Amino acid sequence: MSGGRTYYLTTPIFYVNDAPHIGHAYTCVAADALARFMRLDGARVHFLTGTDEHGQKVAKSAEAAGLDAQAFCDRVSQNFREMARLMNISNDDFIRTTEERHIRACQALWRAIAARKTPKGRDNIYRGTYAGWYAVRDEAFYGEEEITLGPDGARRAPSGAEVEWVEEPSYFFRLSDWQDWLVDHYEKHPERAAPAGRRNEVLSFIKGGLRDLSISRTSFSWGVPVPDDPQHIMYVWFDALINYITAVGYPETATGAFATFWPADLHMVGKDIIRFHCVYWPAFLEAAGLAPPKRVFGHGWWTVEGQKMSKSLGNFIPPRQLVEQYGLDPVRYFMLRELPFGSDGDFSHRAVVHRINGDLANDFGNLAQRVLSMINRNCASRVPAPGTLTPADEALLASARALHARLSADFAEQAFHRALEALWQVVAEANRYVDEQAPWALRKTDTARMGSVLYVLAETIRHLALLAQPVVPQAAAKLLDQLAVPADRRDFAALARPLVPGTQLPKPEGIFPRYVETAAPA
């Protein structure tokens, strides 16, 4: 990755009909780890998150809360800003779809699409009447073949959301004319929809036949007005997806942030909204003459203690509860280590404690504490000078030095669990090396050799701390402080600048405390 590289990364914008929960935090933490990695690796990063504030569902939620729609959005959007701060998310921008910059961008994109023709030479946007099934909860239209009739007599979408029959005048996007282009797009660029299972879902949906998409509503008014026809409000997903280009300055495309960062390198989304991002969004962009995103990754969902999160079960976990119970960095580590990114997983108290006490406290934390404590006691709190290195020394250092390339490949594929497995393999190797070399015994028989062993370990820990920063930034910073690594030598370019013998080190402190059960988990 070159120093001149740019990287544009987004989370989905979160719908403001409810409070943030573990799923929102998960998306943000994953995107944040990637943004931090890319910055440390020399890229110029633009990292975006924000809130989706229009649509019928928000209007109904505001009404139920007894608030004006804008006042409701102001309050709930702030909750998502606070969640980002709580989870130590390093976003560069926070967008709200009620901002004037976004309304301008939506209307500009509408006009750009309307001014161009489809691959079949027809108008991209035309006026008609929509009649069909609509799920307010999903803000999505569904075909008759997708609807099931429940035992309670309610008709439901595949998501379980109840649907209602809607008939109203509407503008349509001629999505059907883009079917062949979309198939060709993903067959030529399979990496653009990930992981592979999601890409297969997307292609199956496209090849199953695309219908033209209703992109305006007239039955409510909380949204972006259609240019030159303000009684029509843009379909909430047409509005929402445009946030990604709003944030880089659209409709100005020739200069500035758009010219620097678009197309986006990655849209990080939950698997439930992959269709909107991999079917509608690239078609809208191509119809407007803009490049589609380079990659969309649809991650999986969390259950809680084996059960799907549900208000009725009362198991929606606020992110603050997790951080207060387990600590911020341990929660971030657990989210990215516990399961392959893209798969579903279970958030259980037992699993979190296992990762905290096993991986963090016993393995990495204990390695750092005992090595730094031995340097403190036996080397006058200074980085020892290494002598001639043995094959065992060289092997451990080689493992540490190989990590950057390995993690670069894993992060590029959003394989966070593999990256952390690789880090902890070196943690385990370093712990075995400590036991085999026994520096506490060398203190009595060969102090020069003891110094070499402790230097190799300290240098290995430096590599581990530098590379762990994207996932556990606070703990890694604390460990780098204890190694006296200057603030300007903490990017990945500094991996090639080893510890300087004789450097004074502060008194070591634990970085990953054990989790001690004080009461039965709620």
Side-chain angles (χ1 to χ4, degrees):
M1 299 176 187
S2 67
R5 183 181 177 186
T6 61
Y7 198 85
Y8 183 24
L9 166 69
T10 73
T11 72
I13 49 173
F14 300 116
Y15 213 49
V16 295
N17 69 311
D18 212 339
H21 57 66
I22 183 177
H24 302 113
Y26 182 47
T27 310
C28 287
V29 166
D32 179 68
L34 182 53
R36 288 176 183 271
F37 189 96
M38 297 302 295
R39 290 191 195 102
L40 289 165
D41 214 26
R44 180 182 172 191
V45 171
H46 191 72
F47 173 24
L48 175 70
T49 189
T51 46
D52 180 6
E53 303 182 17
H54 287 138
Q56 190 174 3
K57 185 164 58 172
V58 170
K60 288 188 173 185
S61 296
E63 183 180 357
L67 291 172
D68 165 82
Q70 186 64 60
F72 176 81
C73 291
D74 291 345
R75 186 181 73 182
V76 182
S77 179
Q78 185 61 29
N79 293 337
F80 285 90
R81 285 185 186 270
E82 292 172 359
M83 180 201 70
R85 286 194 290 269
L86 172 73
M87 301 307 297
N88 198 10
I89 305 304
S90 62
N91 53 294
D92 299 291
D93 192 3
F94 187 100
I95 191 166
R96 299 180 59 186
T97 56
T98 49
E99 294 177 54
E100 184 58 35
R101 62 171 172 162
H102 182 65
I103 294 168
R104 286 196 305 271
C106 288
Q107 293 181 332
L109 191 76
W110 182 290
R111 289 189 176 101
I113 292 173
R116 294 167 61 90
K117 301 294 184 182
T118 73
K120 296 183 179 181
R122 299 192 288 179
D123 290 341
N124 273 306
I125 295 177
Y126 64 92
R127 188 167 178 169
T129 300
Y130 177 76
W133 297 107
Y134 188 75
V136 175
R137 193 185 82 185
D138 298 345
E139 295 281 18
F141 302 98
Y142 291 101
E144 187 73 41
E145 73 283 357
E146 297 179 279
I147 303 304
T148 56
L149 186 64
D152 57 355
R155 287 179 169 82
R156 298 189 181 278
S159 65
E162 192 167 343
V163 297
E164 58 186 37
W165 186 260
V166 173
E167 293 189 33
E168 59 184 322
S170 179
Y171 284 94
F172 287 82
F173 174 72
R174 211 180 295 272
L175 185 64
S176 58
D177 279 15
W178 290 95
Q179 179 170 330
D180 292 342
W181 178 85
L182 284 164
V183 170
D184 185 64
H185 176 68
Y186 289 113
E187 289 182 345
K188 286 182 177 176
H189 307 285
E191 76 286 351
R192 296 200 170 182
R198 306 274 185 268
R199 180 174 64 255
N200 292 339
E201 292 171 19
V202 166
L203 274 169
S204 176
F205 176 76
I206 296 169
K207 290 177 179 179
L210 296 180
R211 291 187 295 271
D212 292 348
L213 179 67
S214 171
I215 55 171
S216 75
R217 304 289 305 276
T218 57
S219 55
F220 64 96
S221 60
W222 184 240
V224 178
V226 169
D228 306 317
D229 198 350
Q231 72 267 31
H232 283 257
I233 297 299
M234 292 183 192
Y235 171 43
V236 66
W237 271 105
F238 184 92
D239 159 5
L241 290 162
I242 296 169
N243 91 88
Y244 302 128
I245 56 175
T246 299
V248 288
Y250 186 82
E252 176 53 60
T253 60
T255 61
F258 191 97
T260 300
F261 289 106
W262 194 261
D265 291 272
L266 178 69
H267 293 322
M268 187 87 79
V269 303
K271 66 178 183 179
D272 54 323
I273 55 175
I274 197 80
R275 179 189 302 183
F276 303 100
H277 285 80
C278 290
V279 180
Y280 302 164
W281 182 224
F284 293 160
L285 289 166
E286 188 70 18
L290 301 176
K294 297 176 185 176
R295 185 171 174 86
V296 176
F297 194 105
H299 66 70
W301 289 344
W302 287 99
T303 54
V304 177
E305 301 291 348
Q307 293 182 305
K308 185 178 179 180
M309 282 191 289
S310 163
K311 286 184 179 178
S312 62
L313 293 174
N315 65 349
F316 267 78
I317 303 180
R320 185 167 298 280
Q321 177 183 325
L322 294 175
V323 172
E324 290 175 351
Q325 183 170 3
Y326 303 114
L328 174 56
D329 278 356
V331 169
R332 288 173 59 104
Y333 174 79
F334 175 82
M335 285 180 166
L336 299 183
R337 175 65 179 85
E338 183 67 5
L339 65 147
F341 195 65
S343 301
D344 295 338
D346 187 54
F347 203 104
S348 71
H349 174 73
R350 178 178 295 180
V352 179
V353 172
H354 172 75
R355 292 293 181 190
I356 293 173
N357 289 346
D359 296 10
L360 298 178
N362 289 352
D363 295 343
F364 195 4
N366 186 51
L367 170 69
Q369 180 70 10
R370 61 176 174 166
V371 169
L372 292 174
S373 293
M374 282 188 278
I375 292 174
N376 177 261
R377 289 194 305 268
N378 303 314
C379 304
S381 296
R382 294 183 181 276
V383 175
T388 303
L389 299 182
T390 68
D393 303 338
E394 297 284 11
L396 180 57
L397 288 172
S399 294
R401 291 165 182 159
L403 279 172
H404 178 225
R406 166 68 188 274
L407 267 62
S408 293
D410 289 338
F411 269 76
E413 296 179 5
Q414 293 78 61
F416 305 114
H417 67 291
R418 287 208 313 257
L420 291 171
E421 285 172 4
L423 272 174
W424 257 255
Q425 286 169 4
V426 177
V427 169
E429 189 176 341
N431 275 313
R432 288 193 297 271
Y433 173 89
V434 175
D435 293 338
E436 292 165 359
Q437 301 299 322
W440 53 88
L442 291 170
R443 180 176 62 86
K444 301 175 183 178
T445 60
D446 190 342
T447 56
R449 176 61 190 153
M450 177 197 70
S452 294
V453 169
L454 292 176
Y455 180 87
V456 167
L457 286 163
E459 179 62 11
T460 299
I461 292 168
R462 185 184 71 92
H463 274 73
L464 292 167
L466 287 170
L467 291 163
Q469 289 178 100
V471 177
V472 287
Q474 292 177 343
K478 186 176 180 181
L479 183 50
L480 290 166
D481 288 344
Q482 294 180 53
L483 288 166
V485 175
D488 62 355
R489 293 190 184 181
R490 297 189 179 186
D491 61 10
F492 294 161
L495 287 164
R497 303 180 69 175
L499 292 170
V500 178
T503 301
Q504 184 73 47
L505 302 184
K507 183 178 179 181
E509 297 177 3
I511 55 167
F512 291 119
R514 290 182 60 80
Y515 182 88
V516 178
E517 203 78 66
T518 55

